[in-house]
Amino acid sequence: MNMKIAVIGAGISGLAAGRELVKAGHEVVVFEKSGGYGGRLATRYAGKGNEQKLDHGVPYFTATSDEFKELVAELTSKGILSTWSGTFVHRNESGEISEVTPDSEYYFAKEGMNSIGKYIGRNLDIRLNEKVGGLTHIGENRRKKKSWMLNFPTALTESADAVVISAPARQAYALLNTTIDEIETLKMVREIDEVEYESQFTLLTGYSGVQMPDWNALECDDDIIEWISNESTKRESGKNTLVIHTTSEFAKMNMNSDRQKVEDLIADRLITILGGWAGLPEWQQLHFWRYSRVKNPLPHDFMEIRGNDTPLALVGGYINGNTVESAYLSGLKLGKHWAEQFAD
Ligand SMILES: Cc1cc2nc3c(=O)[nH]c(=O)nc-3n(C[C@H](O)[C@H](O)[C@H](O)COP(=O)(O)OP(=O)(O)OC[C@H]3O[C@@H](n4cnc5c(N)ncnc54)[C@H](O)[C@@H]3O)c2cc1C
């Protein structure tokens, strides 16, 4: 049975599900609210003439399962993925620096993390800048056959036989809440309501005429700065750039603060950690991640409303882990499950 399947969100979980479902012969349309692919596998074009590529979301990821290693091998063979090798260091509360040996390979994309999303989604019909505002279940009491209607803020609608929601749990919650009077989504809504996220501020900085650190990344025991990525070690176009991620506690405390104040607090601490040069960037940009990583992932591969009539499923990086890998596996497993369930 070929179906029209709407996927909400073009992060790695939604794209993985979409790719499997297209392979199985279904018509898939992906609706993405932002202007780019990959979700939190995100790349910012910054600096003079926007020539510098910086990964302001996930800095790197690891692979443990066979299925994800298969994707890593595919992306590596296409020249998209590389191993981020070099020196990784840790700074303790007293300011002492020690080298850290990663216990597995760190992967990143030379052309920017968003190139992973572009590759996985290359054969998909992806509609960018299309935010789904709500869902309506068209039940059997209407004349039409059972289906889902996706509602957009522009008042346009799209119909689909099945829906995959791959947005972060809080956003999935808001979408599911729009269906609650119509179909049995209450159990799912209650469960995802429990999911809690860390938040982070990310400061992107670019320098000229300075000697950049010789490490790839610095992890800090600090109340403001958690992680500094030296993007210069990833790619030529990230020359003399740093991406600084704050702690979740700092982000929570300052999420409503004046953005200039936030930048100043991060810059002051950066000077303490790296020295005076780090406080004099040529340019800088601040980003706020309301949903960075999940604290309490749900113990499923994916979640679905069972039955063949109007299926609906949730996939994403809050299910069975809080990583890029768990997000991918969630989408892949749902895609394979539906491909089997809805085979002719
Ligand atoms: C700063 C940071 C650091 C991280 N560090 C690591 C790390 O070191 N290692 C690791 O493995 N993971 C890390 N993660 C977590 C990892 O990025 C996520 O687990 C994973 O990318 C989630 O993928 P996803 O597809 O589930 O969600 P997302 O990537 O969030 O994709 C969801 C997509 O849905 C879209 N969307 C939402 N609502 C709607 C709507 N109503 N209509 C249409 N589209 C919608 C969003 O725009 C987004 O593109 C980090 C994340 C951040 C932000």
Side-chain angles (χ1 to χ4, degrees):
M1 169 180 41
N2 278 356
M3 301 198 298
K4 180 174 175 189
I5 302 175
V7 176
I8 303 176
I12 193 164
S13 62
L15 295 174
R19 181 159 95 147
E20 281 309 305
L21 292 164
V22 161
K23 268 196 232 163
H26 297 290
E27 181 191 343
V28 174
V29 185
V30 182
F31 298 97
E32 168 54 50
K33 72 173 180 179
S34 76
Y37 310 89
R40 279 169 277 170
L41 281 163
T43 304
R44 182 69 70 82
Y45 300 80
K48 268 189 205 151
N50 284 341
E51 280 169 4
Q52 311 270 26
K53 280 185 199 165
L54 293 90
D55 299 323
H56 66 299
V58 192
Y60 72 89
F61 55 83
T62 54
T64 56
S65 65
D66 288 345
E67 294 104 315
F68 194 54
K69 282 181 181 165
E70 218 174 280
L71 177 75
V72 164
E74 182 184 346
L75 292 166
T76 305
S77 73
K78 299 286 174 197
I80 295 167
L81 221 57
S82 302
T83 304
W84 198 20
S85 47
T87 310
F88 294 84
V89 290
H90 176 258
R91 181 184 188 274
N92 69 15
E93 278 173 2
S94 323
E96 292 157 353
I97 305 275
S98 57
E99 199 168 324
V100 183
T101 312
D103 46 17
S104 52
E105 300 274 34
Y106 286 180
Y107 298 104
F108 77 100
K110 265 186 276 184
E111 293 304 318
M113 286 298 206
N114 64 347
S115 59
I116 296 170
K118 282 183 195 158
Y119 175 79
I120 301 175
R122 70 197 182 288
N123 296 323
L124 290 173
D125 177 358
I126 303 180
R127 316 267 171 90
L128 296 177
N129 302 307
E130 295 267 13
K131 179 179 177 171
V132 180
L135 290 171
T136 311
H137 183 248
I138 310 290
E140 57 197 338
N141 54 341
R142 319 258 173 116
R143 265 185 293 129
K144 281 185 176 174
K145 85 174 178 57
K146 288 185 183 179
S147 65
W148 288 104
M149 192 162 79
L150 285 79
N151 308 304
F152 297 87
T154 50
L156 287 175
T157 58
E158 287 269 355
S159 70
D161 303 315
V163 173
V164 180
I165 304 179
S166 76
R170 304 306 307 163
Q171 294 165 344
Y173 176 90
L175 280 169
L176 275 181
N177 242 340
T178 64
T179 69
I180 215 152
D181 295 335
E182 302 168 51
I183 196 162
E184 198 33 67
T185 48
L186 189 60
K187 193 169 162 283
M188 265 184 184
V189 168
R190 284 203 178 125
E191 202 172 346
I192 61 171
D193 191 26
E194 299 298 316
V195 175
E196 285 179 42
Y197 280 84
E198 295 190 342
S199 300
Q200 274 179 313
F201 278 107
T202 299
L203 185 68
L204 293 76
T205 54
Y207 303 87
S208 65
V210 299
Q211 178 73 40
M212 294 299 283
D214 55 7
W215 38 255
N216 293 17
L218 172 74
E219 191 186 0
C220 306
D221 291 339
D222 184 67
D223 58 343
I224 298 184
I225 295 179
E226 182 177 280
W227 169 272
I228 304 172
S229 171
N230 182 357
E231 295 287 295
S232 324
T233 61
K234 285 184 172 174
R235 57 185 77 93
E236 260 302 296
S237 63
K239 216 161 69 184
N240 295 350
T241 51
L242 298 176
V243 174
I244 301 122
H245 296 289
T246 70
T247 61
S248 183
E249 293 69 31
F250 175 80
K252 283 236 161 79
M253 223 155 54
N254 289 286
M255 65 166 74
N256 298 318
S257 304
D258 173 66
R259 292 303 190 244
Q260 188 57 53
K261 181 189 154 202
V262 173
E263 288 189 25
D264 291 347
L265 287 169
I266 301 172
D268 282 352
R269 188 57 55 89
L270 195 62
I271 292 169
T272 309
I273 293 172
L274 298 184
W277 66 271
L280 296 169
E282 210 173 40
W283 56 264
Q284 66 181 36
Q285 285 184 17
L286 189 70
H287 182 84
F288 178 61
W289 291 103
R290 187 172 295 280
Y291 310 116
S292 160
R293 289 185 87 164
V294 167
K295 291 185 191 168
N296 53 343
L298 300 174
H300 311 287
D301 285 335
F302 49 81
M303 296 163 79
E304 68 172 332
I305 296 176
R306 295 190 181 276
N308 287 353
D309 276 347
T310 44
L312 179 137
L314 304 184
V315 297
Y318 60 97
I319 305 182
N320 228 0
N322 64 355
T323 61
V324 173
E325 176 165 11
S326 63
Y328 174 75
L329 291 179
S330 174
L332 181 80
K333 287 180 181 174
L334 183 268
K336 284 188 187 299
H337 170 64
W338 274 11
E340 205 179 281
Q341 192 168 0
F342 305 119
D344 287 329

